[in-house]
Amino acid sequence: MTAIEPSKQPLPVRSLEEDYALVKKATREAGELALTYFRKSIMVTKKIDGSEVSEADLALDVALKLELHAPRPDYGWLSEETEDDPERLKHRRVWMVDPIDGTNAFLRHLPEWTVSAALVEDGVPVLGVVFNPATQEFFHAMRGNGAFLNDEPIAASKKNTLDGARLIASGGLFKKKIWKEPWPEVTTKWVNSVAYRLALVACGRADATISLSAKSEWDLAAAALLVEEAGGTITDHHGGVHRYNRVSPRFSSLVASGKALHPLLIERTNRVDL
């Protein structure tokens, strides 16, 4: 007699509200775990590309995967600290995680690192959480529902001129010979975590952030949603929209600001050849 294999039950369809609660809880718990390593003597190694990775990065990656991917096995997974699996390309929904964005700051005991987690659906971020445990700043957003810092609504800057703009970028960037015309007087500040830079733009503490170096999808996914839901705009330096869950999860550049300022930034960055 041939045994009959039980039919596989389809996985339940999860609502975005359920996933929102899940990712907020997982990110907060991961941030609290990170604090147990912060400003301590911990093990650090080098990746193939020469960047540093610590035991804290790896521990958070495991914790987030257990909290997010394990209960949602039908979702894809993309993380800075997990080898990329092309299986993610088959999934409509994909978790995108950077366990510690700003490892350099984390290892040098600076409070400029974040835990970043997003849910991408059909190439677009729909949930995003960026948590800075060292400052207890918890940013979160769901597409269509606004962006929040510690549960208070936030909004991007409405500045509409470059003169006097507060930019998060390397100060030397604006002195390079790549520009067709000199920049007006702007204030620059450097922040190590890309996700934190974007979160600061989303809450209006900076008018814009610019990076003309490559960024990974896990760097931007969560914080990009914060910017958009706070009324800002984020693109590459040509003004092109970032699409997520591609074969090569890399973007050439980043320009994010309030809506009024963005065209003025793109007018300058668009003429730069990378």
Side-chain angles (χ1 to χ4, degrees), residues 7-252:
S7 61
K8 293 183 178 179
Q9 293 296 318
L11 292 165
V13 177
R14 304 291 185 175
S15 70
L16 275 185
E17 287 77 10
E18 288 177 290
D19 287 343
Y20 198 21
L22 179 68
V23 70
K24 285 193 286 187
K25 178 176 181 290
T27 305
R28 189 176 290 282
E29 289 177 355
E32 297 305 324
L33 174 61
L35 285 177
T36 67
Y37 293 91
F38 188 45
R39 293 175 174 153
K40 305 279 176 59
S41 178
I42 59 175
M43 187 172 64
V44 180
T45 57
K46 290 283 184 74
K47 299 181 186 179
I48 294 174
D49 64 4
S51 62
E52 295 173 306
V53 60
S54 74
E55 60 179 300
D57 293 90
L58 301 177
L60 264 67
D61 188 55
V62 171
L64 285 164
K65 195 166 188 179
L66 284 172
E67 289 293 318
L68 295 174
H69 191 47
R72 303 287 191 270
D74 51 331
Y75 292 12
W77 177 262
L78 180 66
S79 167
E80 180 174 11
E81 308 306 345
T82 305
E83 184 178 354
D84 190 10
D85 184 349
E87 280 291 311
R88 66 178 167 81
L89 300 171
K90 300 176 183 178
H91 296 277
R92 289 190 62 216
R93 288 183 173 180
V94 181
W95 294 116
M96 293 195 179
V97 167
D98 194 343
I100 298 179
D101 183 49
T103 297
N104 187 58
F106 181 86
L107 294 177
R108 282 145 191 83
H109 304 167
L110 301 173
E112 292 181 2
W113 52 276
T114 58
V115 182
S116 176
L119 182 64
V120 167
E121 184 175 77
D122 297 328
V124 178
V126 291
L127 300 175
V129 181
V130 175
F131 181 30
N132 183 332
T135 61
Q136 287 297 299
E137 293 168 297
F138 192 85
F139 300 87
H140 59 93
M142 179 167 70
R143 185 161 295 280
N145 282 53
F148 302 85
L149 165 57
N150 295 338
D151 295 327
E152 293 294 326
I154 56 176
S157 162
K158 290 181 168 53
K159 187 168 179 60
N160 59 7
T161 60
L162 285 174
D163 194 41
R166 302 161 299 164
L167 305 183
I168 302 180
S170 165
L173 174 64
F174 305 102
K175 296 180 174 63
K176 289 185 176 180
K177 296 180 180 179
I178 59 175
W179 307 108
K180 303 297 183 185
E181 57 184 291
W183 282 72
E185 283 295 320
V186 295
T187 302
T188 61
K189 175 184 179 181
W190 178 249
V191 173
N192 190 252
S193 163
V194 180
Y196 194 34
R197 291 178 224 167
L198 291 168
L200 294 174
V201 170
C203 70
R205 274 189 248 161
D207 297 310
T209 185
I210 298 172
S211 178
L212 300 181
S213 60
K215 298 289 177 282
S216 298
E217 293 186 11
W218 55 74
D219 292 323
L220 306 190
L225 182 61
L226 293 175
V227 171
E228 292 174 343
E229 286 298 311
T233 303
I234 177 169
T235 66
D236 65 22
H237 74 293
H238 291 303
V241 175
H242 296 132
R243 294 290 296 182
Y244 293 79
N245 200 31
R246 299 165 309 143
V247 174
S248 176
R250 298 280 280 174
F251 301 123
S252 62

